[in-house]
Amino acid sequence: MIRDREKLDRLLNEVHQWVREVAHPNEDLVAAGDLVPDAIVKDMAERGFFGWSIPVEYGGLGLTTEELVLAALELSQCAVAFRARVGTNTGIGSEALVADGTEEQKKRFLPRLASGEATGCLALTEENAGSEASAIETSAILEGDEYILNGSKRYITNAPIADMFTVFARTDPDSKGSRGISAFLIERDTPGLSTSAPYKMMGQSGSPVGEVYFENCRVSKENLIGGKEGLGFKTAMKVLNKQRIHLSALCTGPAIRMLDMAMDHASTRKQFGKPIIDFQLVAALLADCQTEIQVAKSMVLETARARDEGKDIALEASISKYYASEMCGRVADRCVQVFGGAGFVADHSSIERYYRDIRLFRLYEGTSQMHQLNIARQMQRRRAS
Ligand SMILES: Cc1cc2nc3c(=O)[nH]c(=O)nc-3n(C[C@H](O)[C@H](O)[C@H](O)COP(=O)(O)OP(=O)(O)OC[C@H]3O[C@@H](n4cnc5c(N)ncnc54)[C@H](O)[C@@H]3O)c2cc1C
C-alpha cells in the first residue's frame, strides 16, 4: 500500500542518491576499517533511515510494508554493512515492540530506536537452537518484580554495538518447544548482560555480529514485551514473517547493484575487438540476472501489498525469502564470471566482496532448507483449508 506517492518518491530519490553519493564511495573504507564511520551513521540517523518502519506516533516514518520494501530495494544497492547498520532498527530490533509491545513500552523505547539514538537487535539464536529456534534454553525466572535471566545467545547482528536487545527466554522452566517462551526488551546497561567482540566472518565487514551473555541478569517485569508470559514465540513469528519480506528486498538490492557493475564491465571490457557484452554467451548471463531480479522484485512487492491488506502471507513470505536469497547467490556467481579474473582479484573490482557478503542471505532468518520445509507445510495447510 502506498499512501502518498509524492512523499514516497521524494524518500526513494533521496535514498537512491545517498547510496551513490555516500555509500558507494565509502565502501572500501568501511570494509578496511570493519566499521561504518560515526559520521555516516549520524547522517543516516538525521535522514530518518533508522525509523522507517516505526509508527509516526513514536517518532518513525510509519512506512507500510510496500513502502518499506521499496525503500529497502534502494538502500541495499551498496555494501551490505550500510543497510545492516540501520536494518535492525527498521526490522527485527524494533518489530517485536511494534507488533506486541504495550503502549507504555512503545512510548518508552521506540522513539530512541526511530531516531537512531539507540541501536536495537534481536537475540533468538543459541548454540543448541539454530534452525530449531523453539529449542532455546536461556531462562527467565520471576523473583518478586524481576526476572533473572541466565544463558547465552549467538550470531546476533549488531549485538556488539546494540543499546537495546529483544531477547527470547523460557519463563516456564518445565516447558518444551514453542510454549513457555517470553520476549523481553533489555537495555545495554542492565547488570548481568554482556556481549562478545565482533566475530571474524566470511563477509559483511563493518557489520558487527556477536554473542550476548546473561549471568543472573535482573530485568524488571515492565520489560516483558506485551506484559504477558508465554507469548514470545508468537511474537518472534510475527517479527520473522514481516522480516522475510523486508529481507527479500534486501537480497534483491545487492543483485541489482552487482548486475549494474557487470553491465558496466561488459560494456567497456573489449576482447576479440569488441565489448564482451556483444558476445551472446555473456549477454545471456546478464539477461538471466535481469530476469531473476525482475521475478524477485515482483514477488516481494506483491507479498508486501498482500501483507498491507491483512492477508495471510506465511507461504508467500517464505517463498520470497527463499527465492530472493538464492537468486542473489546465482546473480553474484554470474557477475563474477562476467568480470573474468577481475571478478576474483579484489584489487581490480569489488564484485568479490559482494559475492562474499551476500552468502549469508541463504543462511540467516531461516536457511533455504527450512524455507523449503515451511513452504511445503504451508501448501499442505492451505490445501486442507
Ligand atoms: C552473520 C549472522 C547473523 C545472524 N543474525 C542473527 C540475529 O540478529 N538474531 C538471531 O537470533 N539470529 C541470527 N543469526 C542466526 C541464524 O538465523 C542461524 O544461523 C540460522 O537460523 C541457522 O541456524 P544454525 O546456524 O544453528 O544452523 P543449523 O540449524 O545447525 O543448520 C545447519 C544445516 O542443517 C540444515 N538443517 C537444520 N535442520 C534441518 C531440517 N529440519 N531439515 C533440513 N535441513 C536442516 C540447515 O539448513 C543448515 O544447512 C545470524 C547468523 C549469522 C551467521
CSV table of all heavy atoms in Angstrom, one decimal, residues 43-76:
chain,number,residue,atom,x,y,z
A,43,ASP,N,24.6,10.8,9.8
A,43,ASP,CA,24.0,11.2,8.6
A,43,ASP,C,22.7,10.4,8.3
A,43,ASP,O,21.6,10.9,8.0
A,43,ASP,CB,24.9,11.1,7.4
A,43,ASP,CG,24.4,11.7,6.1
A,43,ASP,OD1,23.5,12.6,6.2
A,43,ASP,OD2,24.7,11.2,5.0
A,44,MET,N,22.8,9.1,8.4
A,44,MET,CA,21.7,8.2,8.2
A,44,MET,C,20.6,8.5,9.2
A,44,MET,O,19.4,8.5,8.9
A,44,MET,CB,22.1,6.7,8.3
A,44,MET,CG,22.9,6.2,7.1
A,44,MET,SD,23.0,4.4,7.0
A,44,MET,CE,24.3,4.1,8.1
A,45,ALA,N,21.0,8.7,10.5
A,45,ALA,CA,20.1,9.0,11.6
A,45,ALA,C,19.3,10.3,11.3
A,45,ALA,O,18.1,10.4,11.4
A,45,ALA,CB,20.8,9.1,12.9
A,46,GLU,N,20.1,11.3,10.9
A,46,GLU,CA,19.4,12.6,10.6
A,46,GLU,C,18.5,12.6,9.4
A,46,GLU,O,17.5,13.3,9.4
A,46,GLU,CB,20.5,13.7,10.3
A,46,GLU,CG,21.2,14.1,11.6
A,46,GLU,CD,22.4,15.0,11.4
A,46,GLU,OE1,22.8,15.2,10.3
A,46,GLU,OE2,23.0,15.3,12.5
A,47,ARG,N,18.7,11.7,8.5
A,47,ARG,CA,17.8,11.5,7.4
A,47,ARG,C,16.6,10.6,7.7
A,47,ARG,O,15.8,10.3,6.9
A,47,ARG,CB,18.6,10.9,6.2
A,47,ARG,CG,19.6,11.8,5.6
A,47,ARG,CD,20.5,11.0,4.6
A,47,ARG,NE,21.6,11.9,4.1
A,47,ARG,CZ,21.5,12.7,3.1
A,47,ARG,NH1,20.4,12.7,2.4
A,47,ARG,NH2,22.5,13.4,2.7
A,48,GLY,N,16.6,10.1,8.9
A,48,GLY,CA,15.4,9.3,9.4
A,48,GLY,C,15.5,7.8,9.0
A,48,GLY,O,14.5,7.1,9.1
A,49,PHE,N,16.6,7.4,8.5
A,49,PHE,CA,16.7,6.0,8.0
A,49,PHE,C,16.4,4.9,9.0
A,49,PHE,O,16.0,3.8,8.7
A,49,PHE,CB,18.1,5.7,7.4
A,49,PHE,CG,18.4,6.4,6.0
A,49,PHE,CD1,17.5,7.3,5.5
A,49,PHE,CD2,19.6,6.1,5.4
A,49,PHE,CE1,17.8,7.9,4.3
A,49,PHE,CE2,19.9,6.8,4.1
A,49,PHE,CZ,19.0,7.7,3.6
A,50,PHE,N,16.7,5.3,10.3
A,50,PHE,CA,16.5,4.3,11.4
A,50,PHE,C,15.0,4.0,11.7
A,50,PHE,O,14.7,3.0,12.3
A,50,PHE,CB,17.2,4.7,12.6
A,50,PHE,CG,18.7,4.5,12.6
A,50,PHE,CD1,19.6,5.4,12.1
A,50,PHE,CD2,19.3,3.3,13.2
A,50,PHE,CE1,21.0,5.2,12.1
A,50,PHE,CE2,20.6,3.1,13.1
A,50,PHE,CZ,21.5,4.0,12.6
A,51,GLY,N,14.2,5.0,11.3
A,51,GLY,CA,12.8,4.9,11.8
A,51,GLY,C,11.8,4.5,10.8
A,51,GLY,O,10.6,4.7,11.0
A,52,TRP,N,12.2,4.0,9.6
A,52,TRP,CA,11.3,3.8,8.5
A,52,TRP,C,10.0,3.0,8.9
A,52,TRP,O,8.9,3.3,8.5
A,52,TRP,CB,12.0,3.0,7.4
A,52,TRP,CG,12.9,3.9,6.6
A,52,TRP,CD1,13.0,5.2,6.7
A,52,TRP,CD2,13.8,3.4,5.6
A,52,TRP,NE1,14.0,5.7,5.7
A,52,TRP,CE2,14.5,4.6,5.1
A,52,TRP,CE3,14.2,2.2,5.1
A,52,TRP,CZ2,15.4,4.5,4.1
A,52,TRP,CZ3,15.1,2.1,4.0
A,52,TRP,CH2,15.7,3.3,3.6
A,53,SER,N,10.2,1.9,9.7
A,53,SER,CA,9.0,1.1,9.9
A,53,SER,C,8.4,1.3,11.3
A,53,SER,O,7.5,0.6,11.7
A,53,SER,CB,9.5,-0.4,9.8
A,53,SER,OG,10.5,-0.7,10.7
A,54,ILE,N,8.9,2.3,12.0
A,54,ILE,CA,8.3,2.6,13.4
A,54,ILE,C,7.2,3.6,13.2
A,54,ILE,O,7.3,4.6,12.5
A,54,ILE,CB,9.5,3.1,14.3
A,54,ILE,CG1,10.5,2.0,14.5
A,54,ILE,CG2,8.9,3.6,15.6
A,54,ILE,CD1,11.7,2.3,15.3
A,55,PRO,N,6.0,3.3,13.8
A,55,PRO,CA,4.9,4.2,13.6
A,55,PRO,C,5.2,5.7,13.9
A,55,PRO,O,6.0,6.0,14.8
A,55,PRO,CB,3.9,3.7,14.6
A,55,PRO,CG,4.2,2.3,14.9
A,55,PRO,CD,5.7,2.2,14.7
A,56,VAL,N,4.5,6.6,13.2
A,56,VAL,CA,4.7,8.0,13.3
A,56,VAL,C,4.6,8.5,14.7
A,56,VAL,O,5.4,9.3,15.2
A,56,VAL,CB,3.7,8.8,12.4
A,56,VAL,CG1,3.9,10.3,12.5
A,56,VAL,CG2,3.9,8.3,10.9
A,57,GLU,N,3.6,8.0,15.5
A,57,GLU,CA,3.4,8.5,16.8
A,57,GLU,C,4.5,8.2,17.8
A,57,GLU,O,4.6,8.7,18.8
A,57,GLU,CB,2.1,8.0,17.4
A,57,GLU,CG,1.9,6.5,17.4
A,57,GLU,CD,1.2,5.9,16.2
A,57,GLU,OE1,1.5,6.4,15.1
A,57,GLU,OE2,0.4,5.0,16.3
A,58,TYR,N,5.5,7.3,17.3
A,58,TYR,CA,6.7,7.0,18.2
A,58,TYR,C,7.9,7.6,17.5
A,58,TYR,O,9.0,7.1,17.8
A,58,TYR,CB,6.8,5.5,18.5
A,58,TYR,CG,5.5,5.0,19.0
A,58,TYR,CD1,4.7,4.1,18.2
A,58,TYR,CD2,5.0,5.3,20.3
A,58,TYR,CE1,3.5,3.6,18.7
A,58,TYR,CE2,3.8,4.8,20.8
A,58,TYR,CZ,3.1,4.0,20.0
A,58,TYR,OH,1.9,3.5,20.5
A,59,GLY,N,7.7,8.5,16.6
A,59,GLY,CA,8.9,9.2,16.0
A,59,GLY,C,9.4,8.6,14.7
A,59,GLY,O,10.4,9.1,14.2
A,60,GLY,N,8.8,7.6,14.2
A,60,GLY,CA,9.3,7.0,12.9
A,60,GLY,C,8.5,7.5,11.7
A,60,GLY,O,7.7,8.5,11.8
A,61,LEU,N,8.7,6.9,10.5
A,61,LEU,CA,8.0,7.3,9.3
A,61,LEU,C,6.8,6.5,9.1
A,61,LEU,O,5.9,6.8,8.3
A,61,LEU,CB,9.0,7.1,8.1
A,61,LEU,CG,9.9,8.2,7.7
A,61,LEU,CD1,10.5,7.9,6.3
A,61,LEU,CD2,9.1,9.5,7.6
A,62,GLY,N,6.7,5.3,9.8
A,62,GLY,CA,5.5,4.5,9.7
A,62,GLY,C,5.2,4.0,8.3
A,62,GLY,O,4.1,3.9,7.9
A,63,LEU,N,6.3,3.6,7.6
A,63,LEU,CA,6.1,3.1,6.2
A,63,LEU,C,5.2,1.8,6.3
A,63,LEU,O,5.3,1.0,7.1
A,63,LEU,CB,7.4,2.8,5.6
A,63,LEU,CG,8.4,3.9,5.4
A,63,LEU,CD1,9.6,3.5,4.6
A,63,LEU,CD2,7.7,5.1,4.7
A,64,THR,N,4.4,1.7,5.2
A,64,THR,CA,3.7,0.4,5.0
A,64,THR,C,4.7,-0.6,4.6
A,64,THR,O,5.8,-0.3,4.2
A,64,THR,CB,2.6,0.6,4.0
A,64,THR,OG1,3.3,0.8,2.7
A,64,THR,CG2,1.6,1.7,4.3
A,65,THR,N,4.3,-1.9,4.5
A,65,THR,CA,5.2,-2.9,4.1
A,65,THR,C,5.7,-2.7,2.7
A,65,THR,O,6.9,-2.8,2.4
A,65,THR,CB,4.6,-4.3,4.2
A,65,THR,OG1,3.8,-4.4,5.4
A,65,THR,CG2,5.6,-5.4,4.2
A,66,GLU,N,4.8,-2.3,1.8
A,66,GLU,CA,5.2,-2.0,0.4
A,66,GLU,C,6.2,-0.8,0.3
A,66,GLU,O,7.2,-0.9,-0.4
A,66,GLU,CB,3.9,-1.7,-0.5
A,66,GLU,CG,4.3,-1.5,-1.9
A,66,GLU,CD,3.1,-1.3,-2.8
A,66,GLU,OE1,2.0,-1.2,-2.3
A,66,GLU,OE2,3.3,-1.1,-4.0
A,67,GLU,N,5.9,0.2,1.1
A,67,GLU,CA,6.8,1.4,1.1
A,67,GLU,C,8.2,1.0,1.7
A,67,GLU,O,9.2,1.4,1.1
A,67,GLU,CB,6.2,2.5,1.9
A,67,GLU,CG,4.9,3.1,1.3
A,67,GLU,CD,4.2,4.0,2.2
A,67,GLU,OE1,4.4,3.9,3.5
A,67,GLU,OE2,3.3,4.8,1.7
A,68,LEU,N,8.2,0.2,2.7
A,68,LEU,CA,9.4,-0.3,3.3
A,68,LEU,C,10.2,-1.1,2.3
A,68,LEU,O,11.5,-0.9,2.2
A,68,LEU,CB,9.1,-1.1,4.6
A,68,LEU,CG,10.3,-1.7,5.3
A,68,LEU,CD1,11.2,-0.6,5.9
A,68,LEU,CD2,9.9,-2.7,6.4
A,69,VAL,N,9.6,-1.9,1.6
A,69,VAL,CA,10.2,-2.8,0.6
A,69,VAL,C,10.9,-1.9,-0.5
A,69,VAL,O,12.0,-2.2,-0.9
A,69,VAL,CB,9.2,-3.8,0.1
A,69,VAL,CG1,9.6,-4.3,-1.3
A,69,VAL,CG2,9.1,-5.0,1.0
A,70,LEU,N,10.1,-0.9,-0.9
A,70,LEU,CA,10.7,-0.1,-2.0
A,70,LEU,C,11.9,0.7,-1.5
A,70,LEU,O,12.9,0.8,-2.2
A,70,LEU,CB,9.6,0.9,-2.5
A,70,LEU,CG,8.5,0.2,-3.3
A,70,LEU,CD1,7.3,1.2,-3.5
A,70,LEU,CD2,9.0,-0.1,-4.7
A,71,ALA,N,11.8,1.2,-0.2
A,71,ALA,CA,13.0,1.9,0.3
A,71,ALA,C,14.2,0.9,0.5
A,71,ALA,O,15.3,1.3,0.3
A,71,ALA,CB,12.6,2.5,1.7
A,72,ALA,N,13.9,-0.3,1.0
A,72,ALA,CA,14.9,-1.3,1.2
A,72,ALA,C,15.6,-1.7,-0.1
A,72,ALA,O,16.8,-1.9,-0.2
A,72,ALA,CB,14.4,-2.5,1.9
A,73,LEU,N,14.8,-1.7,-1.2
A,73,LEU,CA,15.4,-2.1,-2.5
A,73,LEU,C,16.4,-1.0,-2.9
A,73,LEU,O,17.4,-1.3,-3.6
A,73,LEU,CB,14.3,-2.1,-3.6
A,73,LEU,CG,13.5,-3.4,-3.6
A,73,LEU,CD1,12.2,-3.2,-4.5
A,73,LEU,CD2,14.3,-4.6,-4.2
A,74,GLU,N,16.2,0.2,-2.5
A,74,GLU,CA,17.1,1.3,-2.9
A,74,GLU,C,18.3,1.2,-1.9
A,74,GLU,O,19.5,1.3,-2.4
A,74,GLU,CB,16.5,2.7,-2.7
A,74,GLU,CG,15.4,3.0,-3.8
A,74,GLU,CD,16.1,3.1,-5.2
A,74,GLU,OE1,17.3,3.3,-5.3
A,74,GLU,OE2,15.3,3.0,-6.2
A,75,LEU,N,18.1,1.2,-0.6
A,75,LEU,CA,19.2,1.3,0.4
A,75,LEU,C,20.2,0.1,0.3
A,75,LEU,O,21.3,0.3,0.6
A,75,LEU,CB,18.6,1.4,1.8
A,75,LEU,CG,19.7,1.6,2.9
A,75,LEU,CD1,20.4,2.9,2.7
A,75,LEU,CD2,19.0,1.5,4.3
A,76,SER,N,19.7,-1.0,-0.2
A,76,SER,CA,20.6,-2.2,-0.3
A,76,SER,C,21.4,-2.3,-1.5
A,76,SER,O,22.1,-3.3,-1.7
A,76,SER,CB,19.7,-3.5,0.0
A,76,SER,OG,18.7,-3.5,-1.0
